[in-house]
């Protein structure tokens, strides 16, 4: 039995707009027919006639043209669709819940990740599986995605690892990417395919080198709940993450490797008591009494100290400002005694900072000069020359 075909007579171009619409409608009908019945036809070609035609919608161009030629097949006496439904085909093969799916960039393949710990590839036209399941994860596969060129697949799993796969062979590429301390819930390639971003139940976002599998920098910290979704911006310069802490966060994706630094490299904030006078040109020339007046500095250079900070520490016990510092809160505010605000730190500048009771350590190269800063009740003087 020779499979029938649909032949479109295109020897001459349609002479009207409706002609074009007829051709387009027929082409779309053939496409839908192939998408829905293609896998079944590959499995058993005779069912092109025995099953596909009878179950085609009554308004299908293929059904109208060919159904009458095959009277000796099953018929639907009721319940037959008039038009194609939204569901094109159902892909079956996983043995448990499917948790993530994604198209290849060219739209010809689909990748899926499942509760059965496997990743699967599918032909997007026929719905047939491509090769065997990709095995290696020891936990549920929560997220899958193709690389921009379609040659690789990245997956994130409940087993806390990220894995890379060859999309053509299904073989793993290198060792699992390890670093998260909780299940990996979301993964994505950068637009140029050189980096991978992952989000985890450990509340962090991580960047990875897609070629070597090595982590890029330290985890991006700030979320206080599980990170369920991550994605790069189209230009690859930013990352967006969504968390169960009810927030969406934006990150700078241009992370440089951390450099080892020594204690001398850290710039600290301490409330000191010293015998000195403020630098020439500062707002006040009153001497600082070492027994009662501290100075606030985010730099090893005393000339960068905040002048006349008495208002900020007013009312605080003497032992407080001798032994404690202003504290950087989770909301980015540098807060002093009695919850007085000194300044706000952008989230991008908080990474790598630690906040002990006696110091605020800053990465190498950063110094904050507060010597001309208007603060407290005098904030309006910030515009004075």
């Amino acid at each position: 039995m020779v499979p029938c075909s649909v032949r479109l007579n295109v020897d001459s171009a349609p002479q009207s707009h409706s002609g074009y619409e007829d051709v387009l409608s027929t082409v779309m009908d053939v496409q839908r027919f192939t998408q829905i019945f293609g896998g079944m036809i590959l499995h058993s070609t005779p069912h092109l006639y025995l099953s596909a035609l009878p179950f085609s919608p009554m308004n299908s161009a293929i059904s109208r043209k060919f159904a009458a030629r095959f009277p000796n097949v099953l018929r639907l006496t009721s319940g037959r669709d008039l038009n194609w439904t939204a569901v094109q085909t159902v892909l079956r093969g996983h043995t448990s819940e499917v948790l993530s799916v994604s198209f290849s960039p060219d739209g010809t393949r689909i990748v899926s990740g499942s509760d059965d710990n496997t990743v699967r590839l599918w032909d997007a036209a026929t719905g047939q599986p491509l090769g065997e399941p990709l095995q290696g994860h020891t936990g549920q596969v929560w997220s899958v995605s193709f690389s921009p060129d379609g040659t690789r697949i990245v997956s994130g799993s409940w087993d806390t690892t990220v894995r890379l796969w060859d999309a053509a062979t299904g073989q793993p590429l290198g060792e699992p990417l390890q670093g998260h301390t909780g299940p990996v819930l979301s993964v994505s390639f950068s637009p140029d395919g050189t980096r991978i971003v992952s989000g985890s139940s450990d509340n962090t976002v991580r960047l990875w080198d897609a070629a070597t599998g090595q982590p890029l920098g330290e985890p991006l910290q700030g979320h206080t709940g599980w990170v369920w979704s991550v994605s790069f911006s189209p230009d690859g310069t930013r990352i967006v993450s969504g968390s169960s802490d009810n927030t969406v966060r934006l990150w700078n994706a241009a992370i440089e490797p951390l450099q080892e630094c020594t204690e001398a490299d850290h710039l600290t904030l301490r409330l000191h008591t010293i015998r000195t006078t403020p630098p020439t040109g500062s707002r006040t020339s009153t001497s600082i009494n070492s027994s009662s007046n501290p100075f606030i500095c985010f730099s090893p250079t005393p000339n960068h100290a905040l002048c006349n900070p008495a208002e900020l520490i007013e009312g605080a016990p003497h032992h407080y400002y001798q032994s404690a510092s202003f504290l950087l809160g989770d909301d980015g505010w540098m807060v002093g005694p009695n919850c007085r605000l000194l300044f706000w730190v952008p989230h991008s500048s908080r990474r790598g900072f630690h906040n002990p009771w006696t110091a605020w350590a800053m990465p190498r190269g950063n110094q904050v000069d507060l010597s001309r800063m208007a603060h407290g009740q005098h904030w309006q003087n910030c515009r004075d020359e």
Side-chain angles (χ1 to χ4, degrees):
M1 184 177 294
V2 180
C4 67
S5 62
V6 176
R7 185 181 300 275
L8 300 178
N9 187 352
V10 293
D11 294 337
S12 59
Q15 300 301 309
S16 67
H17 182 68
S18 61
Y20 283 106
E21 291 179 344
D22 290 343
V23 172
L24 179 60
S25 176
T26 302
V27 170
M28 293 180 64
D29 193 75
V30 172
Q31 183 182 40
R32 294 302 305 276
F33 186 92
T34 303
Q35 289 171 334
I36 292 177
F37 299 116
M40 176 270 292
I41 294 170
L42 286 176
H43 183 74
S44 179
T45 303
H47 281 270
L48 167 65
Y49 320 102
L50 302 177
S51 301
L53 277 177
F55 282 97
S56 298
M58 286 189 286
N59 291 337
S60 163
I62 292 178
S63 177
R64 292 198 307 266
K65 184 175 182 62
F66 296 106
R69 301 185 186 183
F70 299 90
N72 300 321
V73 296
L74 66 86
R75 290 186 302 155
L76 290 180
T77 57
S78 65
R80 187 177 180 186
D81 292 325
L82 288 176
N83 301 295
W84 294 108
T85 62
V87 177
Q88 295 185 354
T89 189
V90 178
L91 284 58
R92 302 186 184 277
H94 283 296
T95 59
S96 190
E97 299 172 63
V98 178
L99 305 174
S100 180
V101 291
S102 182
F103 272 102
S104 62
D106 61 5
T108 63
R109 292 163 295 165
I110 295 168
V111 63
S112 58
S114 170
D115 187 59
D116 64 13
N117 301 356
T118 70
V119 175
R120 277 184 172 264
L121 278 167
W122 312 83
D123 186 304
T126 66
Q128 293 300 296
L130 298 174
E132 295 298 314
L134 282 56
Q135 297 182 329
H137 282 300
T138 58
Q140 302 158 315
V141 181
W142 279 88
S143 183
V144 290
S145 183
F146 275 94
S147 61
D149 61 4
T151 63
R152 292 166 294 167
I153 294 166
V154 62
S155 58
S157 170
W158 197 264
D159 63 15
T160 75
T161 71
V162 175
R163 282 181 174 264
L164 281 167
W165 312 85
D166 187 309
T169 66
Q171 294 300 306
L173 297 173
E175 295 298 315
L177 283 57
Q178 297 180 329
H180 281 296
T181 58
V184 179
L185 307 174
S186 182
V187 290
S188 183
F189 274 96
S190 61
D192 62 4
T194 63
R195 292 165 295 165
I196 295 166
V197 62
S198 58
S200 169
S201 69
D202 63 13
N203 302 354
T204 70
V205 175
R206 278 184 174 265
L207 276 170
W208 311 85
D209 186 308
T212 67
Q214 293 300 304
L216 298 173
E218 293 296 306
L220 306 180
Q221 297 179 331
H223 281 299
T224 58
W226 291 16
V227 181
W228 284 98
S229 185
V230 291
S231 181
F232 277 93
S233 61
D235 62 3
T237 63
R238 292 172 295 167
I239 294 166
V240 64
S241 58
S243 167
S244 59
D245 64 11
N246 301 341
T247 69
V248 175
R249 288 179 179 261
L250 280 170
W251 313 84
N252 181 2
I255 303 298
E256 297 180 357
L258 295 181
Q259 297 179 343
E260 182 179 358
C261 56
T262 65
E263 183 177 355
D265 295 319
H266 287 153
L267 308 178
T268 63
L269 162 67
R270 293 180 183 272
L271 297 179
H272 301 273
T273 55
I274 61 170
R275 286 186 175 88
T276 186
T277 57
T280 302
S282 61
R283 294 186 176 277
T284 177
S285 59
T286 304
S287 298
I288 298 177
N289 188 306
S290 64
S291 63
S292 61
N293 290 321
F295 82 105
I296 300 171
C297 192
F298 291 79
S299 166
T301 305
N303 288 355
H304 293 168
L306 183 71
C307 297
N308 194 18
E311 178 184 330
L312 294 171
I313 62 171
E314 183 180 2
H318 181 66
H319 66 81
Y320 180 94
Y321 58 73
Q322 282 189 322
S323 60
S325 73
F326 280 67
L327 300 178
L328 180 65
D330 292 337
D331 58 1
W333 281 105
M334 183 63 64
V335 181
N338 301 322
C339 296
R340 293 185 176 95
L341 306 180
L342 182 58
F343 56 85
W344 183 80
V345 184
H347 193 277
S348 60
S349 298
R350 297 176 216 163
R351 187 175 74 71
F353 290 43
H354 74 277
N355 202 10
W357 284 99
T358 57
W360 185 45
M362 305 173 64
R364 178 186 305 181
N366 289 336
Q367 295 189 28
V368 179
D369 184 351
L370 305 180
S371 62
R372 293 186 57 84
M373 178 183 175
H375 58 279
Q377 296 181 3
H378 307 287
W379 65 268
Q380 67 270 23
N381 294 331
C382 65
R383 62 177 295 173
D384 293 346
E385 291 295 336

